[in-house]
Amino acid sequence: MGRRFGWLWAAYSVSVLGTWLAFDAFPLIAVLVLHASAAQVALLAATGPAVGAVLAVPLGPWVEFRHKRPVMAWMDLVRCAALLSVPAAYLLGALGIGQLTAVAVVVAAADITFNAASGAFLKSLVPRDGLLRANARFESTMWTATVLGPPLGGAAVGVLGPITTVVANAVSFLLSALGIGAVGGGEPAPRDRGAARPRAADLFDGWRHILSSPELRPLFLNVALVNGLIMATAPLLAVLMLGPLGFPPWEYGLAFAVPCLGGLVGSRLARPLVARHGQRRVLLASGALRAAWSLGLAFVRPGLPGLLLIMVTEFGLILCAGVFNPVLATHRLDHTPDDLTARTLSAWSVGTKASIASLTALWGALAALAGTRTAIAAAGVLLLATPALLPRAADRATAPPSPATVPPSPDGSPPSR
């Protein structure tokens, strides 16, 4: 994949490991350091992603008309600075829920902006036939960090306190910015837009592309609903396991750490499966199969049988997601013109995050009215219907790569593959 991709992959690896080391750091700080109430912790968890998504809406067009690599480096530095304000305020005795919420908003908006820029940059960095390989490597790295990060972060919290993991996450973004700087080389010039000021119409170009595409529209609706329903049941399952079912915290962590190995396996299978069966068939099959598992979580019982049921169910779900995610990322880039990539990816992220936030709130209300187990079962039943949203008729109008898709080497030789 070349030296430049190697640096990009290294930057991603260090930042995603830092993110998973600091998994749930803000709720832990709110509870252990600030002694916040359950309502305050819930508000913190919901406000950051929701407000961050709103703030990121105008940033998609802003990214589109700029070089992507500097944007990525700046978003890493913004996240680093925002996170470092937390230990600084803690040392000064000035840390509060308000600051944690503000930092969560800034980090969420920077996450969306970074992802929009990185997808567009990857499309210019990697030959079209290498996109699936690149996305599969990112996916396997993410699941590896998911397996290793929370246990290591939990140990660090137990020994040194939750502020430690926030510092580690901030340092990881600084290292990521340095790695992105080391990528070097050029990239295709962004489309000229005068002074690069986004127009009002630019805010909706990504949405228009998604909703008008026979391929992307059903995939977007499917992903928004599936991800929203899966994430909406996560806190409910935690309440069920740690409350009525009596699982100790270490078993709760084990129940979700071990199945993440399925994501590593799935991401390794994505390329061979596509080579044998074709991208479209693998996308539809894995997309349908990932919706077939969650209903089993409604039948969990105490003890070892319940623990095994959760681990098998989550392993199957994550295995299918590990195949689906890199194929989807590649398929989405294939069906998006180069000059719309950042706006499309930004709109996609904003929409899916909004879906997760709204469905999480809705399912919390449903659990309060009908019971936790009933709400989990309802999500599982609805998930079984989501494959109907996957695209059916093949769309032949795949967006062709622009002539500048692969930047030339400094010496003018063909790029390495």
Side-chain angles (χ1 to χ4, degrees):
M1 300 290 287
R3 180 194 65 83
R4 298 182 68 205
F5 175 78
W7 276 111
L8 181 64
W9 188 16
Y12 173 82
S13 300
V14 70
S15 66
V16 76
L17 179 59
T19 297
W20 282 102
L21 278 171
F23 179 68
D24 274 350
F26 279 17
L28 287 172
I29 292 172
V31 172
L32 300 177
V33 177
L34 303 178
H35 309 292
S37 67
Q40 288 176 311
V41 174
L43 184 63
L44 170 64
T47 301
V51 179
V54 172
L55 293 180
V57 169
L59 294 177
W62 179 80
V63 171
E64 195 75 78
F65 304 110
R66 282 167 171 76
H67 287 287
K68 308 305 183 290
R69 190 163 63 91
V71 171
M72 294 160 62
W74 275 111
M75 290 303 104
D76 273 337
L77 294 176
V78 166
R79 290 183 285 187
C80 176
L83 289 168
L84 285 178
S85 74
V86 174
Y90 173 74
L91 291 175
L92 295 173
L95 184 61
I97 288 291
Q99 181 178 350
L100 287 181
T101 303
V103 171
V105 168
V106 171
V107 170
D111 284 344
I112 294 174
T113 307
F114 180 94
N115 291 337
S118 65
F121 181 68
L122 181 67
K123 196 173 182 180
S124 73
L125 179 67
V126 175
R128 188 176 179 184
D129 60 3
L131 282 174
L132 179 57
R133 178 185 298 179
N135 285 315
R137 289 187 180 181
F138 290 144
E139 184 75 8
S140 64
T141 301
M142 189 273 289
W143 287 114
T144 302
T146 308
V147 173
L148 299 177
L152 293 175
V157 168
V159 175
L160 301 172
I163 300 291
T164 306
T165 59
V166 176
V167 174
N169 196 16
V171 172
S172 77
F173 286 125
L174 177 60
L175 295 175
S176 175
L178 294 174
I180 290 168
V183 170
E187 62 177 288
R191 191 177 70 178
D192 185 29
R193 173 53 64 76
R197 295 176 181 172
R199 305 170 304 175
D202 294 331
L203 297 177
F204 305 103
D205 284 344
W207 294 103
R208 277 193 288 266
H209 175 62
I210 292 171
L211 298 178
S212 65
S213 168
E215 283 290 307
L216 296 187
R217 182 179 62 251
L219 281 170
F220 171 74
L221 296 175
N222 174 271
V223 169
L225 186 56
V226 170
N227 289 2
L229 288 171
I230 290 173
M231 295 305 296
T233 60
L236 304 183
L237 189 59
V239 169
L240 185 65
M241 291 180 65
L242 298 173
L245 298 183
F247 285 96
W250 72 269
E251 286 188 352
Y252 171 76
L254 186 68
F256 295 99
V258 173
C260 290
L261 294 171
L264 182 59
V265 174
S267 62
R268 303 282 295 188
L269 290 174
R271 285 184 61 234
L273 287 173
V274 168
R276 181 166 183 173
H277 301 289
Q279 183 184 98
R280 182 180 184 79
R281 185 175 296 179
V282 173
L283 181 71
L284 298 182
S286 59
L289 288 173
R290 83 194 200 286
W293 298 87
S294 293
L295 183 58
L297 297 174
F299 303 99
V300 63
R301 292 290 182 267
L304 181 60
L307 182 64
L308 292 177
L309 173 62
I310 294 171
M311 293 175 71
V312 169
T313 300
E314 292 290 332
F315 183 89
L317 168 63
I318 294 172
L319 173 67
C320 297
V323 175
F324 177 82
N325 291 340
V327 181
L328 168 68
T330 304
H331 189 78
R332 186 172 55 200
L333 290 175
D334 285 342
H335 285 78
T336 301
D338 292 352
D339 60 355
L340 276 174
T341 301
R343 282 170 285 178
T344 299
L345 296 180
S346 178
W348 192 289
S349 294
V350 168
T352 52
K353 286 182 182 295
S355 173
I356 290 172
S358 58
L359 286 175
T360 299
L362 180 61
W363 249 252
L366 178 61
L369 292 173
T372 302
R373 198 181 291 272
T374 300
I376 294 173
V381 171
L382 283 177
L383 279 166
L384 293 176
T386 57
L389 293 173
L390 292 168
R392 296 300 175 200
D395 177 18
R396 302 292 182 185
T398 299
S402 70
T405 292
V406 182
S409 300
D411 61 358
S413 61
S416 60
R417 291 178 179 266

